Amino acid sequence: STPLYSSAASDVYKRQVPSSYTLTDADDFVTYSNATPSYDPVLYLPSSANPGKIVFVKNQLSRNIIVRGNLMNANDRRTKSETALNGVSSIYIFDGSYWVHFFCG
Protein backbone atom coordinates (compact mmCIF):
# COMPACT_ATOMS: atom_id res chain seq x y z
CA SER A 1 0.00 0.00 0.00
CA THR A 2 1.11 3.54 -0.64
CA PRO A 3 0.16 6.45 1.61
CA LEU A 4 -2.71 8.46 0.13
CA TYR A 5 -2.92 10.77 3.13
CA SER A 6 -0.69 11.03 6.15
CA SER A 7 -0.91 13.05 9.34
CA ALA A 8 0.41 12.80 12.87
CA ALA A 9 -2.82 11.07 13.94
CA SER A 10 -3.32 8.58 11.11
CA ASP A 11 -2.40 7.40 7.64
CA VAL A 12 -4.73 6.43 4.79
CA TYR A 13 -3.34 3.80 2.43
CA LYS A 14 -4.31 3.29 -1.20
CA ARG A 15 -3.87 0.10 -3.17
CA GLN A 16 -4.53 -0.23 -6.89
CA VAL A 17 -5.30 -3.82 -7.79
CA PRO A 18 -5.77 -5.29 -11.26
CA SER A 19 -7.22 -8.66 -10.27
CA SER A 20 -8.54 -10.67 -7.34
CA TYR A 21 -7.16 -9.51 -4.00
CA THR A 22 -7.44 -10.19 -0.27
CA LEU A 23 -7.73 -7.05 1.84
CA THR A 24 -5.03 -6.43 4.46
CA ASP A 25 -5.05 -4.32 7.62
CA ALA A 26 -3.04 -1.65 5.79
CA ASP A 27 -5.62 -1.14 3.01
CA ASP A 28 -8.04 1.79 3.31
CA PHE A 29 -8.72 2.77 -0.30
CA VAL A 30 -8.83 0.00 -2.93
CA THR A 31 -9.10 0.96 -6.59
CA TYR A 32 -9.79 -1.34 -9.50
CA SER A 33 -8.67 0.45 -12.67
CA ASN A 34 -6.25 0.41 -15.60
CA ALA A 35 -6.89 -3.24 -16.28
CA THR A 36 -9.07 -5.29 -18.54
CA PRO A 37 -9.36 -8.67 -16.85
CA SER A 38 -11.20 -11.40 -18.72
CA TYR A 39 -13.15 -12.22 -15.56
CA ASP A 40 -14.86 -10.39 -12.70
CA PRO A 41 -12.13 -9.86 -10.08
CA VAL A 42 -12.90 -10.81 -6.48
CA LEU A 43 -12.12 -8.69 -3.42
CA TYR A 44 -11.97 -10.82 -0.28
CA LEU A 45 -12.75 -9.00 2.97
CA PRO A 46 -11.21 -10.69 6.04
CA SER A 47 -13.44 -12.36 8.63
CA SER A 48 -11.85 -10.28 11.37
CA ALA A 49 -10.51 -6.74 11.54
CA ASN A 50 -10.45 -3.94 14.06
CA PRO A 51 -14.03 -2.81 14.74
CA GLY A 52 -14.57 0.50 12.98
CA LYS A 53 -12.13 -0.32 10.15
CA ILE A 54 -13.29 1.57 7.04
CA VAL A 55 -12.47 0.56 3.46
CA PHE A 56 -13.43 2.51 0.33
CA VAL A 57 -13.68 0.43 -2.85
CA LYS A 58 -13.63 2.27 -6.18
CA ASN A 59 -14.62 0.38 -9.34
CA GLN A 60 -13.33 1.97 -12.53
CA LEU A 61 -13.54 -1.21 -14.58
CA SER A 62 -16.10 -1.89 -17.27
CA ARG A 63 -17.21 -5.01 -15.43
CA ASN A 64 -18.25 -6.23 -11.97
CA ILE A 65 -16.08 -6.53 -8.91
CA ILE A 66 -17.25 -9.41 -6.71
CA VAL A 67 -16.88 -8.67 -2.98
CA ARG A 68 -16.86 -11.66 -0.63
CA GLY A 69 -16.94 -11.78 3.15
CA ASN A 70 -19.34 -11.39 6.08
CA LEU A 71 -21.45 -8.63 4.52
CA MET A 72 -24.44 -6.72 5.86
CA ASN A 73 -26.66 -4.23 4.02
CA ALA A 74 -26.69 -0.88 5.82
CA ASN A 75 -30.34 -0.13 5.02
CA ASP A 76 -32.04 -3.36 6.13
CA ARG A 77 -29.31 -5.31 8.01
CA ARG A 78 -29.73 -8.38 5.78
CA THR A 79 -26.58 -10.46 5.63
CA LYS A 80 -24.92 -12.22 2.73
CA SER A 81 -21.53 -13.56 1.75
CA GLU A 82 -21.16 -11.99 -1.71
CA THR A 83 -22.18 -8.92 -3.67
CA ALA A 84 -21.32 -7.48 -7.09
CA LEU A 85 -20.24 -3.89 -7.65
CA ASN A 86 -21.17 -3.00 -11.22
CA GLY A 87 -19.49 0.32 -11.99
CA VAL A 88 -20.16 1.71 -8.51
CA SER A 89 -18.03 2.52 -5.52
CA SER A 90 -18.77 1.45 -1.96
CA ILE A 91 -17.69 1.92 1.61
CA TYR A 92 -17.40 -1.02 4.01
CA ILE A 93 -17.21 -0.55 7.79
CA PHE A 94 -16.37 -3.52 10.02
CA ASP A 95 -18.65 -3.70 13.09
CA GLY A 96 -16.83 -6.56 14.80
CA SER A 97 -18.77 -9.30 12.99
CA TYR A 98 -19.85 -7.94 9.59
CA TRP A 99 -18.64 -5.57 6.90
CA VAL A 100 -21.54 -3.10 6.69
CA HIS A 101 -21.99 -2.08 3.05
CA PHE A 102 -22.77 1.50 1.99
CA PHE A 103 -23.21 2.36 -1.73
CA CYS A 104 -21.51 5.53 -2.94
CA GLY A 105 -22.77 5.53 -6.52
Side-chain angles (χ1 to χ4, degrees), residues 61-80:
L61 300 177
S62 59
R63 61 182 319 122
N64 289 330
I65 296 171
I66 306 301
V67 179
R68 292 189 179 143
N70 294 332
L71 307 175
M72 178 185 290
N73 292 334
N75 59 342
D76 61 12
R77 302 192 55 81
R78 285 188 313 193
T79 59
K80 56 186 167 182

Side-chain angles (χ1 to χ4, degrees), residues 3-66:
L4 178 66
Y5 170 80
S6 185
S7 72
S10 66
D11 295 330
V12 174
Y13 289 95
K14 175 185 175 185
R15 180 173 306 274
Q16 186 169 342
V17 292
S19 60
S20 295
Y21 179 72
T22 300
L23 191 79
T24 70
D25 287 340
D27 297 323
D28 301 309
F29 190 102
V30 178
T31 303
Y32 282 85
S33 65
N34 299 329
T36 54
S38 58
Y39 59 92
D40 292 343
V42 179
L43 175 63
Y44 296 94
L45 300 178
S47 58
S48 65
N50 290 326
K53 170 73 174 167
I54 299 171
V55 177
F56 180 78
V57 180
K58 185 171 180 96
N59 182 1
Q60 294 179 318
L61 300 177
S62 59
R63 61 182 319 122
N64 289 330
I65 296 171
I66 306 301

